Amino acid sequence: MENDLLFTLSTKSEWKQFSSSGNFEPESLKEKGYVSCYHGPQIEKAANDLQTEESELLLIVIDPLKLQVPLKNEKIGTEVFPNLYGAFSIDAVIDRIILKKSKKGIFAVRVKHFD
């Protein structure tokens, strides 16, 4: 399976730490051994499954061609997730998009792929 863009989620405070260190190294890397990433259609569910009190999240857009760490597409349940096994340079981040909770308290995200 070829990966066009990868996505992961963060908070603004975490992003400040990453940008000052130059490496994207979230707590999940220490806890699970990998950085959880998603394909476009998986983002909304992932954001809402975080059970965060944050009213905003950052959607981090990653160019997989700029990664220097192993990327493994792994089946979890019925879905395949692209997981990154190691901290990576923030040079691989090509965009950060603010996601805000709606009045209903959920994140709504629509990512469309265009060839």
Side-chain angles (χ1 to χ4, degrees):
M1 175 189 275
E2 185 179 319
N3 291 304
D4 290 326
L5 294 176
L6 302 177
F7 303 91
T8 192
L9 298 161
S10 185
T11 63
K12 285 183 178 182
S13 60
E14 286 177 329
W15 179 255
K16 286 180 185 177
Q17 293 172 357
F18 303 145
S19 62
S20 66
S21 74
N23 286 315
F24 193 91
E25 191 172 357
E27 284 297 313
S28 67
L29 180 58
K30 294 173 190 148
E31 295 167 1
K32 298 189 276 187
Y34 59 88
V35 178
S36 298
C37 292
Y38 312 99
H39 299 290
Q42 298 169 321
I43 298 166
E44 186 173 296
K45 182 175 181 342
N48 288 301
D49 284 351
L50 284 178
Q51 302 297 318
T52 181
E53 295 298 316
E54 300 281 337
S55 61
E56 291 183 354
L57 289 174
L58 285 179
L59 176 62
I60 308 296
V61 184
I62 304 164
D63 180 348
L65 298 176
K66 295 182 179 180
L67 292 170
Q68 302 279 324
V69 298
L71 165 66
K72 295 181 183 177
N73 286 299
E74 299 176 308
K75 189 169 186 174
I76 300 173
T78 60
E79 291 194 73
V80 175
F81 294 90
N83 295 317
L84 298 175
Y85 282 82
F88 58 90
S89 170
I90 61 168
D91 292 339
V93 174
I94 58 174
D95 204 358
R96 299 176 317 278
I97 302 166
I98 297 172
L99 304 179
K100 294 184 180 190
K101 281 187 178 176
S102 69
K103 291 179 183 176
K104 294 180 182 178
I106 60 170
F107 293 102
V109 182
R110 301 287 185 262
V111 177
K112 294 190 183 225
H113 176 77
F114 298 98
D115 286 328

